[in-house]
Amino acid sequence: MAQVTTKDLATLPVGRLGLIPLESCRDLGQKVNDWLVQWRRERNHPGIDSFAFEGYQRDSYTIPVQTPRFGSGEAKCTISESVRGDDIYIMVDVCNYSMTYPIGRYTNLMSPDDHFQDLKRVIGAIGGKARRVNVIMPYLYESRQSKRVGRESLDCATALQELISMGVENIITFDAHDARIQNATPLHGFETVQPSYQFIKALLNHEDGLHIDNEHFMIISPDEGSMGRAIYLANILGVDMGMYYKRLDYSTFINGRHPVAAFEFLGPKLEGKDMILVDDMISSGDTVLEIASLLKERGAGRIYICSTFGLFTDGLEKFDKAHDKGVFDKLLTTNLVYQSPELLEKPYYITCDMSKYIALIIDTLNHDMSVSHLLNPVDRIKRCVNNYMARYEK
């Protein structure tokens, strides 16, 4: 990641920076805060002591909030300090399934709906006093329900419009299931960020002996939905890509969908090549493990599964068995959503830390500067690969 320098102070801050990580995003929020504190302590600027930079260098940018529950299960939000005139960044992980709340003598697990309601409570507690409210929601709430097929609700578009109506200026998300959902809020900021650089960096830091060239490496998309991600990585790395598509059985309807009759491969020969199998999310993991198994049957070399969001809704036992059988070599996901202690202890698991990237986006936006160079990490990926190949050749 590019080092922050004094040139980033070409513009004044929009307002006093305030970071509000909800409890669902506490660990990631703390890491982001640590980066911001470190960078701003190291900065020197002739006007840094002026009123325009009031509160610029602090021991912490985190603003404490509480979202207590009543006995009925209803809740409220209380902010512990004034945010008037601040540039606020709220962080929430709607996929954090480890949290609970009481209803009388019962205990409920928090769902994505509960986390989204807490986000709205924070915005409501701000009450329009902040200069600007920005939401960082790594997994976009209801992003899998982004288009209408038949008589269906458009939950993601509805949620985005609800946030905008409450005064949110910018929404930052990662690897949105369908980036076209930003059309629901055409006059406000919406950025969907890809963790491609972090995947490549983490993989090369943990694996030796990879040849990143067209003769030895490939990128694979497990379905047509992830083809854009695969093409992007393949073009940057200068390697081939392939994809699987699902051949559905349209004569049968099970649990609201047509079952998969077969997975068909499209692409060049892959025998002996190492490969990245890239997707936006792992839910149960059935599809990605099936694809990895089919790749092995075709003679694939090492297989690295890279997914932005690792939900693992059916647990990790199937991944343990698949790894023991040699179906895949390493599993990479980000810390943008909750990671269970069990996952972090797996010998085949590699975590991709996104905190520095998020902190850099926040720091740049707080100075009201363009983030375009951060959203397209082509140069950083190529530099990372070139350094790895040079080290390996030595």
Side-chain angles (χ1 to χ4, degrees), residues 82-100:
S82 173
V83 295
R84 185 177 293 276
D86 287 0
D87 187 25
I88 298 295
Y89 294 82
I90 308 172
M91 299 178 62
V92 59
D93 174 13
V94 299
C95 293
N96 192 330
Y97 55 84
S98 69
M99 299 178 60
T100 62

Side-chain angles (χ1 to χ4, degrees), residues 201-208 330 332 349-351 388:
K201 180 180 178 181
L203 176 62
L204 299 186
N205 283 342
H206 286 82
E207 289 293 289
D208 296 325
K330 295 292 183 181
L332 294 84
Y349 179 69
I350 300 174
T351 183
Y388 176 85

